[in-house]
Amino acid sequence: MSPDLLLPTPPIVRPDKDRFLQEENPFEAMMSRFDRAAVLLDLEPGIYKVLRNPEKQIITSIPVMLDSGDVEVYTGIRVLYNTSRGPAKGGIRFDLNVTLDEVTALAAWMTWKCAVVDIPFGGSKGGVVCDPLQMSVGELERLTRRYTSSIIQTLGPDSDVPAPDVNTNERVMAWIMDTYSMHVGHTVTAVVTGKPVEMGGSRGRREATGRGCMIVTKRALEHLGMPIKGASVIVQGFGNVGSVAAQLLEREGCKIIGISDRTTGIVNPKGIDVESAIAYVAQNRTLAGFTKGDAVSNSEMLTCETDVLLPAALENVITTKNAKHIKAKVICEGANGPTTAAADAILDEKGVFVVPDILANAGGATVSYFEWVQDRQGYFWAEDNVNKSLTTIMERSFDAVLDLSTQHKVNMRTAAYMLAISRVATVHRLRGVYA
Ligand code: NAD
C-alpha cells in the first residue's frame, strides 16, 4: 500500500464561512438554470415536477467517540437527486458549511453532469457538518465509518456510489469501502470511486477533472478560431483541478499568466512555470511566498487581461459585482457553480464564451465511471486507455452541447442543461410512472 495513505492527502481546505455571504443560494441558482432549459424544452408538467425534486434526502445524527473519551454528535446528509439513468453518483464533503440546500444542489448538478457526458449514472451528494481540521485521523475514521453505516441502506454499486469531494480523499474512500464490505460480508470495490489504485482505483482518476478542463478549453479555442499555442490563461485555485489543468494547458502551448490559491494570486504576463509552482506547493502547502510573478489579490486576478479564465476553487466567485470587469474571452468552469445565475446575463452581453461546470468539470465523473466499470469487470486499464477514452467523451460532449447551442441560439450553459434534462426526461418517459 502506498505510504501516501498514511498522510492526510490532499491538504485539507479550511472551511470558509464567507462562502455563504453569497449572491444566491446554490439550490436556487441551479434551479433558475434548470427552469430556463425546461421552458425551452417545453417539458411536460409531470416530468418537470419529478425533475425539480430530489428522490431522497437523508439527514442522520452521527455519534463519534472523540479521542478525549467524550461523545460528539455530527449531522450527516446524503441526497439522491435522480437515479432514473443508473446508480446515483456523487461525492462526500466534510465541511462546517454543509447544508441540505447545498448538498441537494450539488446532487442535482451531478445528475445533469452525468447526463451531459452520457454516462449511465444518476446524481447524488453527501456531507457531514464538521471541521476536519480540528479532528484527529482516528476521529475522522470513526466519523466516516459511522456515517457510512448510517446511510448504508442507500449505498451500493447498483444504487449509490460516493467519491471524494471537499476535505475528503482516497483514504476516506478506503474507509467507506471497508465499512461497506464488512457489512455485506465480502469486498465490494465498486461501492466508491476515487479509491487508491492499490485497492481498485483507476489510473488517471486524480488528474481526470483537470484533464477534462484542458480538453474542453482547447475545443473552445478551436471553435473560436483562437490559437492554442500562446493563448494566455489565468487559473483560480491551485488544488487538484486547477494545478492539473494549468500543467496540461501549459504542455499544450498555452501561457499560464496567473495562478492563485486561498493565500495569494500570482500574475506574470511572461508566463509562470507551472511545474515549479506545483513543486513549491508540494513543499510549502500553499503559493504564499512563490516569487515567480507579482502578488495580486484573488479578486484582482479574476479581472486581469487574459484569453482564458479557469476558476477552479469555489462557488459564486463571478458575480454581478465583477462580471462586467471580466476581460477573458473564454471561461472554463473547473469549479462547481463558480458563476452566479445573475452574472450569466452580463457575461452573455459581453460575448464571453463560457464552458459551463456541468460540462467543463465532468472529467472526474467520467473517469469515476471508468473506475466503477473496471471494478465490476475486475480488469484494469492502462492510463493511456483511460485518457484516450476520457478525451473521446469530453470532445463528443462539448460538440453535442455546441451543436445544441447553435441550433437554439442559446449559450453553452443553457444548451448543456437542455441536453442533460432531455436525456433524463427521455428515460422517465420510457420508464413511465410507477404508481
Ligand atoms: P482542492 O481542495 O484540491 O483545491 C482547491 C484550491 O482552491 C486550493 O488551491 C485552495 O487554496 C483554493 N482556494 C480556496 N479558497 C480560495 C479562494 N478564496 N480564492 C482562490 N483560491 C482558493 O479542490 P479541487 O478538488 O481542486 O476542487 C476545486 C473545485 O472543483 C471545487 O469547486 C470542486 O467542487 C470542483 N470539482 C472538483 C472535482 C475533482 O475531481 N476534484 C470534480 C468536479 C468539480
Side-chain angles (χ1 to χ4, degrees):
M1 185 174 284
S2 154
D4 287 350
L5 290 183
L6 302 173
L7 299 166
T9 55
I12 279 169
V13 179
R14 187 175 281 284
D16 175 1
K17 296 192 184 64
D18 289 340
R19 251 168 58 194
F20 282 88
L21 303 174
Q22 292 167 350
E23 201 164 284
E24 287 180 75
N25 162 307
F27 189 71
E28 291 310 317
M30 189 276 301
M31 272 306 157
S32 72
R33 273 85 174 241
F34 171 85
D35 281 349
R36 185 169 158 70
V39 169
L40 289 164
L41 287 167
D42 201 13
L43 208 60
E44 54 270 49
I47 292 195
Y48 173 78
K49 278 186 230 162
V50 171
L51 298 190
R52 230 184 176 281
N53 288 285
E55 259 175 41
K56 193 181 287 184
Q57 294 175 307
I58 302 167
I59 301 181
T60 173
S61 294
I62 310 166
V64 175
M65 178 77 75
L66 303 179
D67 294 345
S68 63
D70 294 338
V71 171
E72 188 55 84
V73 179
Y74 298 90
T75 302
I77 300 171
R78 186 76 182 160
V79 175
L80 274 61
Y81 195 83
N82 189 289
T83 58
S84 58
R85 287 169 44 85
K89 186 85 199 77
I92 291 172
R93 56 175 61 176
F94 289 170
D95 195 306
L96 277 180
N97 295 314
V98 165
T99 63
L100 183 61
D101 251 5
E102 183 195 43
V103 175
T104 306
L106 289 161
W109 266 322
M110 283 304 298
T111 307
W112 316 136
K113 197 179 293 187
C114 293
V116 161
V117 288
D118 209 8
I119 55 176
F121 282 143
S124 57
K125 205 80 182 186
V128 178
V129 186
C130 65
D131 182 354
L133 271 193
Q134 304 302 323
M135 299 174 74
S136 70
V137 172
E139 289 167 345
L140 281 173
E141 177 172 354
R142 293 192 288 280
L143 174 82
T144 304
R145 290 185 182 277
R146 184 62 193 248
Y147 171 65
T148 305
S149 75
S150 308
I151 59 168
I152 208 140
Q153 311 302 346
T154 76
L155 293 185
D158 291 314
S159 50
D160 184 21
V161 185
D165 196 70
V166 176
N167 295 334
T168 59
N169 56 22
E170 289 193 343
R171 185 167 55 176
V172 174
M173 295 308 111
W175 291 330
I176 296 175
M177 186 280 239
D178 183 70
T179 308
Y180 181 84
S181 298
M182 290 296 130
H183 274 259
V184 297
H186 57 97
T187 295
V188 185
T189 53
V191 68
V192 287
T193 60
K195 299 178 292 293
V197 170
E198 293 86 343
M199 50 176 283
S202 176
R203 291 178 181 83
R205 170 65 186 85
R206 196 186 68 78
E207 299 83 6
T209 307
R211 182 174 292 279
C213 291
M214 176 274 284
I215 296 165
V216 295
T217 300
K218 270 179 71 182
R219 212 66 172 174
L221 291 171
E222 276 162 22
H223 163 67
L224 298 171
M226 294 167 65
I228 291 146
K229 300 256 175 286
S232 51
V233 179
I234 289 179
V235 181
Q236 184 196 42
F238 206 65
N240 179 271
V241 180
S243 67
V244 173
Q247 184 180 42
L248 297 179
L249 282 165
E250 187 184 46
R251 285 187 197 158
E252 294 295 320
C254 294
K255 192 159 65 159
I256 312 303
I257 60 164
I259 53 177
S260 74
D261 68 5
R262 85 190 83 108
T263 62
T264 186
I266 309 280
V267 171
N268 185 345
K270 292 195 188 120
I272 294 164
D273 176 18
V274 176
E275 300 293 339
S276 71
I278 289 175
Y280 184 88
V281 171
Q283 207 157 27
N284 301 284
R285 296 182 66 115
T286 70
L287 283 168
F290 184 69
T291 52
K292 307 270 175 71
D294 297 327
V296 293
S297 72
N298 254 294
S299 50
E300 280 175 280
M301 218 190 61
L302 290 174
T303 55
C304 285
E305 195 76 53
T306 183
D307 293 321
V308 178
L309 176 63
L310 203 155
L314 305 172
E315 307 98 79
N316 293 0
V317 291
I318 302 176
T319 66
T320 49
K321 291 196 185 78
N322 61 4
K324 51 186 168 300
H325 304 301
I326 299 260
K327 298 183 190 72
K329 296 166 191 78
V330 175
I331 295 179
C332 174
E333 295 185 335
N336 283 313
T339 310
T340 64
D344 276 348
I346 301 172
L347 296 177
D348 275 351
E349 247 171 60
K350 288 169 65 80
V352 182
F353 187 88
V354 179
V355 187
D357 47 9
I358 58 170
L359 170 63
N361 70 36
T366 304
V367 176
S368 278
Y369 164 56
F370 299 160
E371 181 173 330
W372 178 81
V373 168
Q374 291 171 75
D375 286 336
R376 304 200 91 183
Q377 289 186 328
Y379 177 76
F380 291 87
W381 309 355
E383 188 164 347
D384 199 38
N385 269 1
V386 172
N387 293 344
K388 275 190 191 138
S389 305
L390 173 64
T391 304
T392 304
I393 289 186
M394 293 305 294
E395 290 184 347
R396 187 181 66 200
S397 308
F398 180 93
D399 293 350
V401 172
L402 182 62
D403 281 352
L404 210 57
S405 124
T406 313
Q407 198 184 323
H408 290 270
K409 297 187 177 49
V410 293
N411 63 22
M412 289 286 281
R413 190 185 313 282
T414 302
Y417 272 80
M418 287 173 76
L419 183 62
I421 292 166
S422 65
R423 283 181 173 154
V424 180
T426 298
V427 173
H428 275 284
R429 281 183 210 111
L430 290 168
R431 289 179 62 153
V433 178
Y434 177 54

